[in-house]
Amino acid sequence: MIDDLLAADPAAEPIEAVHRRLRGFLDRHRPPTPCLVVDLPTIAHRYRRLRGLFPRAVVHYAVKANPAPEVVSLLAGLGASFDVASPAEAELCLRAGAAPDRLSYGNTVKKASDVARVHGLGVRMFTVDSEPDLVNVSAEAPGADVLCRVFAEPPGASTPFGRKFGCEPELAESLLRRAGRLGLRPRGVSFHVGTQQLDPRAWEHGIATAARLMDRLADSGVRLTTLDLGGGFPAAYRDGAPPPSEYAAAIEEYLDRYFGAARPEVVLEPGRAVVADAGVLRSEVVLVSRKAYEHRHRWVYLDVGRHNGLTETEDEFITYALATPHDGGPTGPVVLAGPTCDGDDVLYERNTYHLPLDLHAGDHVDVLAAGAYTASCATVGFNGFPPLPTIHLGLDGEPVTGVAHHG
Ligand SMILES: Cc1ncc(COP(=O)(O)O)c(C=O)c1O
């Protein structure tokens, strides 16, 4: 079922056409809601597009964005490598047919037993950002390749990326030196500029930092070969994003500027940019209400919310585009909320959304570009709401029926 997708290379379809097609499928089949429908040909296209834009880079798909076996199997068949965050994700990729040497363990927060398990599966590439993790990797994955993740945030950044992962370059330098002494192979530097990164220039600081670090290490005989630029490439949500070609042009320029002819092997770890555009999440309106007769804005409660698929509405970080059967008619402002008894299960209150005045309980609201970090982030049953069911469509626009494994 996935084989025809591997052979075909359909032309780029405008995102609006993809979403129209997926909504048409949902109209015809009327699955119970909420339900995510994912278009595998669009995922194949997004992966190939990235390969085309970065022809010299190795693409490790970040499995966490959408770990559905259908997706992982398709990407394995297309020759992708994989960034995994846990032993379970590594096993999933191997089941889908990826060879262990195409996997990297990018999570810098891992138990020694997880390192051992993933190493036992044949994985030989690990990312670290701390001394205890480095020591664990040396003990449980002797001889493995290691990358060290550094902070990528430029000084004075207006939207800080958080400091859970990565370390200061000085610490990275000493960890990579120590890696060699511990019998590991110091392989490279990695960073992540923050997910749904809307500024293509965001990679400059990390590339410059890595170049300086790699230079200093080379001076003392530690030669790193790999630069991992992480993920961060955006999807097409409500407020748009620069085209992927702008990211490729900016990154190409920085690699030239900071590495010149001595360019290392470049690894990308895109998650969102491979899968997000390919999904439409159909929900149903549970209730439309007002909190006072004189209020202009309505509260629209959907049967999908923060806990059963729309996790990334936390802090209103991702602003999804929405579509309803009444689009085109008069609209009014709404607060959008999910179905659970949790007061935090409010999707958009600060961001102004306008929905049709004709919208009533029982109508559908479609969440567009919902293929990333939705089904995989749904809780197993908070408040009794089940995880988000997903239907995967193949080249013929019909659900695929089995998962092929590709070696
Ligand atoms: C190590 C690592 N690589 C890649 C990604 C994928 O990022 P994105 O979905 O923004 O492309 C993530 C996301 O959390 C990550 O933690």
Side-chain angles (χ1 to χ4, degrees), residues 62 64-65 83 106-107 149 192 194-196 230-233 269-273 373:
K64 57 178 77 76
D83 165 60
N107 191 349
R149 181 161 166 177
H192 194 302
T195 196
Q196 186 66 8
F233 305 98
E269 292 177 354
R272 188 184 303 282
Y373 304 108

